[in-house]
Amino acid sequence: MTANPLVAPSHDSTTWSTGLGLVEDAVAITNGIRGNSWVDGTLGGVGASLDMLSMAVDPLGTLVSWGVSWLMEHVKPLKEALDWLAGNADEVAAHAATWSNVSAFTEQARQEYADRLGAEISDWFGSSGEAYREHARLHLETLEGLATAAKGISYAVEGAGLLVALVRGIVRDLIAEFIGTLAARLPQWLAKEGLTLGLATPVVIGQVSALVAKWVNRIQHFVRGLLNSLRRLHPMLDDLAEIFTKFSGRSRSLADADPATPSGGSEFRADFPRGSDFVTGDAFTERAAEAYRRIRNSPDDVPRAAANTGIDPSVIEGMRQNLFVQQHDIAVGPNQVERGYFTPDDRIADLWDGATNGTLDANSISRFRNLAAHEYVENKLMEAGIPFRPSHPDTFDAEGGRVLSREHPSAHDLAPNEWKPHAPLQHWRLFGIDSSGLHLADDLSNLDEIVDAALRGLGR
């Protein structure tokens, strides 16, 4: 059968990073930076050389040679625009090269590690062998992500420098064009000044100022394009920095984990939330997993933690149930819910052990209190029928990100904000709930009142 020439063939969009989570995100952002998707359309493209940043150019110096240096004050805005765009090309190039070196070194380490793995563990067998291979796979993925994120930062630094250099070159050329125009008109204006014995000087200044204003507007057009470009680049850099930080945390977790301990039989999942700190996609340490198992079966921890922190024992037990004992229904996508324990977190395990052993200092007790308030209220809201986070499609944006919704509230997002102890309920306004007049008791004994206020605010 002859193929229809009007039908476009499909092309597989799968790349080497597809399905690798944070690595795929890092690749997408890096490619966007390298492809100049952040550059304002008015600028066309990124310049080819950083030299223009530090080149000593002073096209306005021509005015002095004309013997009309008194005009310099009136063309000052043009010189200021050129000076504002100046920079140190060597410093920009050095920063970009540093991040490129970090990327190359990490990629080389990843490749050497992969080569050694292929040669040395191919004949390992049994559960420990499989566990080590899985551990190694996570290490390789982490190194790949770090290398990609570092390369993206390198592209961003160099691209921003080149774009500033491009705009500086454009501004220099516009000022040179201004000088050419002034060269054609100034003799006529000065002749008029001579014939009027200087009476026309204000007129000449006015004409020069009007010409300067016209060129300033032309220059501003390109400077605005530069600023718009840098504003677009900024969040891309923030995202890369966040990804870099997550990979660094994963690398530390992998270093602490036992590579030969099988994880396939674990009751925990790395892609589930970690309680108050909603982090997904990172590995968890066996140390944290063992701590969670121990705490799950240690109700006697509660009175000791209460005595050491001054927090109501019922609150601490509610915290223990929520974090360590109970399994929860977790929305993993629109209309997709899976059940499981919260993912073990070393920070939370250490706070709990410090509270039960009485080793927390005042700041750590405060952090434990903030965590307890969040977990207790979150648990009570889930008992009242509010999901940890809803799976309704309206609570996801086009990219799969979370969207807060009063109609489909989230117990996690309604619970007191652990990271804002001075205003733990301020975020309720996002759900249309008035939190004025509410405060958390020092011993957290009034948290049930907080739960009731949240439910009333939602009309439940």
Side-chain angles (χ1 to χ4, degrees):
M1 181 176 178
T2 304
N4 189 335
L6 299 180
V7 178
S10 64
H11 297 281
D12 189 359
S13 61
T14 303
T15 65
W16 66 269
S17 63
T18 300
L20 293 182
L22 287 176
V23 177
E24 188 173 5
D25 293 341
V27 170
I29 297 170
T30 297
N31 288 341
I33 293 174
R34 190 179 189 185
N36 297 332
S37 63
W38 51 279
V39 178
D40 192 278
T42 60
L43 300 180
V46 173
S49 172
L50 288 170
D51 293 342
M52 182 54 66
L53 277 179
S54 50
M55 184 180 296
V57 288
D58 185 18
L60 292 170
T62 309
L63 294 180
V64 178
S65 67
W66 289 352
V68 287
S69 56
W70 52 273
L71 280 180
M72 286 297 293
E73 181 64 28
H74 303 284
V75 298
K76 190 176 180 181
L78 300 182
K79 188 175 189 302
E80 287 177 344
L82 191 64
D83 293 342
W84 181 76
L85 291 165
N88 189 322
D90 292 337
E91 284 292 325
V92 174
H95 282 298
T98 298
W99 280 105
S100 182
N101 291 340
V102 170
S103 175
F105 178 84
T106 308
E107 174 56 29
Q108 181 181 356
R110 188 203 67 81
Q111 188 58 56
E112 290 176 355
Y113 184 45
D115 293 342
R116 293 285 298 274
L117 288 172
E120 297 179 11
I121 70 169
S122 58
D123 57 347
W124 289 15
F125 62 91
S127 58
S128 294
E130 291 302 319
Y132 191 92
R133 272 186 280 274
E134 174 60 17
H135 183 85
R137 183 192 66 78
L138 291 173
H139 259 305
L140 290 172
E141 181 181 314
T142 299
L143 290 171
E144 186 69 53
L146 287 169
T148 302
K151 178 59 72 174
I153 295 173
S154 170
Y155 289 146
V157 172
E158 184 177 27
L162 288 171
L163 194 65
V164 174
L166 169 70
V167 174
R168 190 167 194 248
I170 292 173
V171 170
R172 178 207 60 185
D173 292 343
L174 284 172
I175 293 176
E177 183 181 336
F178 164 81
I179 296 297
T181 302
L182 193 62
R185 300 183 185 178
L186 191 59
Q188 302 172 22
W189 296 339
L190 293 177
K192 182 182 296 185
E193 181 189 21
L195 290 174
T196 58
L197 301 178
L199 296 177
T201 299
V203 176
V204 174
I205 292 174
Q207 290 169 322
V208 171
S209 297
L211 192 63
V212 169
K214 179 179 178 180
W215 253 260
V216 165
N217 285 334
R218 295 179 65 185
I219 289 172
Q220 283 179 344
H221 172 74
F222 293 101
V223 172
R224 288 192 196 101
L226 171 63
L227 294 176
N228 288 337
S229 300
L230 296 179
R231 289 190 191 101
R232 293 173 186 166
L233 180 62
H234 193 277
M236 300 172 81
L237 264 176
D238 285 346
D239 289 344
L240 270 183
E242 181 179 355
I243 289 172
F244 196 91
T245 300
K246 286 184 177 180
F247 273 122
S248 298
R250 177 185 291 186
S251 181
R252 287 191 295 272
S253 295
L254 288 170
D256 292 337
D258 182 356
T261 299
S263 60
S266 174
E267 71 275 33
F268 300 114
R269 288 176 46 170
D271 60 344
F272 260 36
R274 297 170 178 247
S276 68
D277 189 15
F278 192 77
V279 179
T280 59
D282 287 339
F284 58 89
T285 67
E286 188 60 27
R287 168 181 171 273
E290 286 300 328
Y292 271 46
R293 295 185 186 106
R294 172 176 47 78
I295 297 166
R296 183 188 305 154
N297 297 300
S298 302
D300 292 342
D301 283 357
V302 172
R304 294 201 303 273
N308 291 329
T309 62
I311 297 174
D312 189 303
S314 65
V315 171
I316 295 181
E317 175 58 20
M319 170 192 186
R320 190 179 77 90
Q321 289 291 326
N322 197 52
L323 277 171
F324 310 112
V325 179
Q326 298 173 358
Q327 295 192 43
H328 305 287
D329 292 324
I330 304 297
V332 295
N335 294 324
Q336 300 176 48
V337 176
E338 297 184 15
R339 190 166 181 80
Y341 292 107
F342 284 148
T343 300
D345 184 280
D346 286 285
R347 180 185 70 90
I348 293 175
D350 289 343
L351 278 176
W352 181 273
D353 285 343
T356 57
N357 296 327
T359 57
L360 297 182
D361 59 21
N363 288 334
S364 297
I365 290 176
S366 178
R367 289 195 293 271
F368 182 82
R369 176 182 179 275
N370 301 337
L371 176 65
H374 177 96
E375 300 302 332
Y376 181 89
V377 172
E378 179 181 272
N379 189 257
K380 292 299 181 182
L381 289 174
M382 286 193 283
E383 287 182 1
I386 297 177
F388 175 81
R389 273 185 165 152
S391 63
H392 195 282
D394 289 348
T395 61
F396 294 86
D397 60 23
E399 285 74 38
R402 296 283 180 176
V403 177
L404 295 182
S405 167
R406 177 182 171 84
E407 290 71 29
H408 307 286
S410 153
H412 173 75
D413 294 315
L414 279 168
N417 190 327
E418 177 189 354
W419 307 108
K420 293 186 177 180
H422 299 297
L425 304 176
Q426 188 177 50
H427 59 289
W428 278 14
R429 68 182 188 277
L430 301 175
F431 295 92
I433 302 175
D434 181 13
S435 64
S436 59
L438 293 174
H439 69 281
L440 307 186
D442 291 341
D443 63 355
L444 302 181
S445 58
N446 69 332
L447 290 184
D448 287 333
E449 298 173 18
I450 303 299
V451 174
D452 292 340
L455 294 174
R456 282 197 309 273
L458 294 171
R460 302 194 177 200

